[in-house]
Amino acid sequence: MTYTQNIFSKIISLLKFKPAILTGLLLISYGSLFSQTTGYASFYGNKFHGRKTSDGSRYHRDSLTCAHRTYPFGTFLLVRNPKNDREVIVKVTDRGPHIRNRIIDLSYRAAKELDIIRAGIAKVLVIKIDVLPDNMQLIPIPKAVLAVTPVNFLTYDLQKFIEKLMKSK
């Protein structure tokens, strides 16, 4: 099994119990595979539980959320701990971390799933996951293409193709 196939199978298995996320089609785009970031992650302390985050929601220590400096709110990120190969998918809800040399602040639960609670910080790999709207699922996409070839579906040509499909119905 290739690395890309392994990531897709893990994403599917992680999302089986999250029906709100299953309404979209999840893809790791070609650009995302080459724009993955490696750096240090930390996690929110207990004093932040219940406080408002930058997107207006309340932080809950048992949610799978994170703070990132640049990704837009609502972006899903696959965070991987290379020491133990554990992975978790988190949603960006806050800005940070506000400490140099750290690329992401995780919720307590996300840090626990990655097994970085005891250490406090750990080196991680962060990959952006693109969530496409439901109407994109109208286009039949063979599984082999998704699993083997990294594809960027956010091109101008594809948008025109989708518009033609929608007009023809």
Side-chain angles (χ1 to χ4, degrees):
M1 183 178 284
T2 67
Y3 180 72
T4 306
Q5 288 172 327
N6 191 21
I7 288 178
F8 280 118
S9 64
K10 288 188 180 192
I11 290 171
I12 303 284
S13 67
L14 287 169
L15 295 177
K16 281 184 182 171
F17 301 106
K18 298 176 181 69
I21 297 172
L22 285 176
T23 60
L25 175 65
L26 292 174
L27 299 170
I28 296 178
S29 68
Y30 183 76
S32 297
L33 288 176
F34 293 101
S35 67
Q36 57 192 16
T37 359
T38 304
Y40 288 95
S42 54
F43 62 94
Y44 285 93
N46 286 332
K47 70 179 183 177
F48 294 103
H49 181 73
R51 291 189 186 178
K52 277 193 171 184
T53 59
S54 296
D55 73 346
S57 64
R58 298 251 177 218
Y59 167 70
H60 194 282
R61 61 179 293 197
D62 292 326
S63 62
L64 291 174
T65 59
C66 71
H68 196 276
R69 288 187 187 100
T70 56
Y71 284 121
F73 297 132
T75 303
F76 289 99
L77 303 174
L78 175 72
V79 183
R80 180 175 175 261
N81 185 346
K83 282 193 175 179
N84 57 19
D85 288 331
R86 290 187 181 193
E87 295 176 340
V88 67
I89 295 176
V90 293
K91 182 179 178 183
V92 177
T93 60
D94 206 0
R95 290 289 169 235
H98 302 291
I99 297 174
R100 186 181 292 176
N101 298 330
R102 299 205 188 145
I103 61 168
I104 194 168
D105 266 337
L106 301 167
S107 65
Y108 180 84
R109 180 173 169 208
K112 189 174 180 180
E113 289 192 21
L114 292 174
D115 196 27
I116 64 172
I117 298 293
R118 181 172 285 191
I121 62 169
K123 197 166 201 165
V124 295
L125 174 70
V126 177
I127 301 171
K128 180 183 175 193
I129 298 174
D130 296 321
V131 179
L132 299 177
D134 286 339
N135 61 359
M136 292 292 285
Q137 292 180 357
L138 298 174
I139 302 170
I141 303 170
K143 287 184 181 180
V145 174
L146 287 176
V148 177
T149 308
V151 180
N152 184 356
F153 285 89
L154 304 177
T155 63
Y156 178 78
D157 294 332
L158 183 62
Q159 184 64 34
K160 291 297 178 189
F161 177 71
I162 292 169
E163 287 173 9
K164 282 183 183 178
L165 278 177
M166 298 303 280
K167 287 179 183 178
S168 67
K169 288 193 174 201

